[in-house]
Amino acid sequence: MSLQFQSLNHKKMKRITKLTLVLLMIVSSNITKAQEKNMKTAEENYTNWYPGYSSTMEATDPELSSIFKNFAFGETQEYGNLDIKKRIILTMASTIAQHTPSEYRKILYAAFSNGISPLQIKEVLYHAVPYIGMPKVAELIEVANVFLKEKGVKLPLEPQAVVNSQTRLEKGLEIQKSIFGNQIDKLYKSAPADQLHFQRYLSANCFGDYQTRPVFDVKMRELLTFSILISMGGTDAQVKSHVQGNVNVGNDKQTLLAVTTQLLPYIGYPRTLNAVTCINEIIPDKK
């Protein structure tokens, strides 16, 4: 009986082992199929962004190029409902905020290839000035100018300013209040006398001079601001403020998470996770 039992037990173990191997093969096959699907998606998205573009990294560092492409153009672009133009424009804003001229020029190629207008290309740069400062933007203006001239675009472009020295404060305040409501009045009232000028500068310069320009609407500008701030790092207070601003103008939590996911490969995990923390603090999940 003992030998018979051992024989039966041995046969049972063999069946279990075979079943386990079959299951492992199925799982492995599914993983391989998922990886192949992701690689195919990544290649398609990359080609849509950069039709005919030849990257030197593919020749010099093919492994890194493949890892980045599969993640940045495969996995992360599977998340959210951002269209290709919005993804490119917001990624462009991120490269500006981080002041990366070579990557910025590459994004210009994607923008031009996907019907993003010269006015929109320039406006992303202009929008960034009050957040990252003119010195960082000035160099990238030159990069953009060289690129646009190569594409046959005549510069300067048509002017977009709709305010003057008499109206910039008033119009800037209008936009601020349309985004942040009576919080702006509270900031003015609570500002010490020797700091009140910062509030006026924000209204007249940041919002009046720049955000009144009609190239982008307020919803897109808030996404641009959010993208710039999370790409800079060390701006959590401002990120939280503009998370709320985005909500106020109609950009919901899923949209902000989609933008953050899109920018993850470009800004890294620390800044991404900080952004997610800010989003969750201002827009907590409903229990």
Side-chain angles (χ1 to χ4, degrees), residues 197-230:
H197 62 290
F198 290 119
Q199 296 302 325
R200 289 198 296 267
Y201 293 166
L202 274 168
S203 299
N205 180 240
C206 183
F207 287 88
D209 290 338
Y210 293 100
Q211 299 209 27
T212 55
R213 298 166 62 84
V215 181
F216 294 118
D217 63 19
V218 68
K219 289 183 71 173
M220 187 61 186
R221 285 195 181 275
E222 273 301 295
L223 289 179
L224 283 170
T225 301
F226 175 77
S227 299
I228 290 167
L229 291 173
I230 69 171

Side-chain angles (χ1 to χ4, degrees), residues 134-152:
M134 179 58 84
K136 287 184 177 180
V137 173
E139 183 179 355
L140 299 181
I141 286 280
E142 289 302 312
V143 173
N145 287 343
V146 169
F147 177 86
L148 291 172
K149 287 177 181 178
E150 289 174 355
K151 298 299 182 182

Side-chain angles (χ1 to χ4, degrees), residues 10 52 55 64 67:
H10 180 68
S55 170
L64 178 59
I67 291 169

Side-chain angles (χ1 to χ4, degrees), residues 95-244:
T95 64
I96 293 168
Q98 297 177 85
H99 192 252
T100 53
S102 60
E103 189 66 21
Y104 174 67
R105 181 176 172 83
K106 184 178 177 181
I107 295 289
L108 286 175
Y109 183 94
F112 206 81
S113 298
N114 284 276
I116 295 168
S117 71
L119 274 176
Q120 291 173 317
I121 288 171
K122 278 295 189 77
E123 196 63 31
V124 179
L125 284 163
Y126 290 14
H127 185 93
V129 173
Y131 299 103
I132 68 172
M134 179 58 84
K136 287 184 177 180
V137 173
E139 183 179 355
L140 299 181
I141 286 280
E142 289 302 312
V143 173
N145 287 343
V146 169
F147 177 86
L148 291 172
K149 287 177 181 178
E150 289 174 355
K151 298 299 182 182
V153 177
K154 187 177 180 180
L155 299 175
L157 302 176
E158 294 180 11
Q160 298 297 308
V162 295
V163 297
N164 55 41
S165 58
Q166 284 75 44
T167 61
R168 58 199 285 268
L169 177 59
E170 175 192 353
K171 296 300 181 182
L173 270 169
E174 284 181 12
I175 291 179
Q176 272 188 299
K177 291 181 179 182
S178 74
I179 300 170
F180 300 106
N182 61 8
Q183 182 65 26
I184 302 304
D185 290 330
K186 292 179 181 178
L187 289 171
Y188 268 84
K189 288 178 182 178
S190 63
D194 61 351
Q195 297 170 35
L196 185 59
H197 62 290
F198 290 119
Q199 296 302 325
R200 289 198 296 267
Y201 293 166
L202 274 168
S203 299
N205 180 240
C206 183
F207 287 88
D209 290 338
Y210 293 100
Q211 299 209 27
T212 55
R213 298 166 62 84
V215 181
F216 294 118
D217 63 19
V218 68
K219 289 183 71 173
M220 187 61 186
R221 285 195 181 275
E222 273 301 295
L223 289 179
L224 283 170
T225 301
F226 175 77
S227 299
I228 290 167
L229 291 173
I230 69 171
S231 299
M232 292 169 66
T235 59
D236 286 5
Q238 290 75 28
V239 171
K240 292 174 188 177
S241 175
H242 283 279
V243 168
Q244 187 62 61

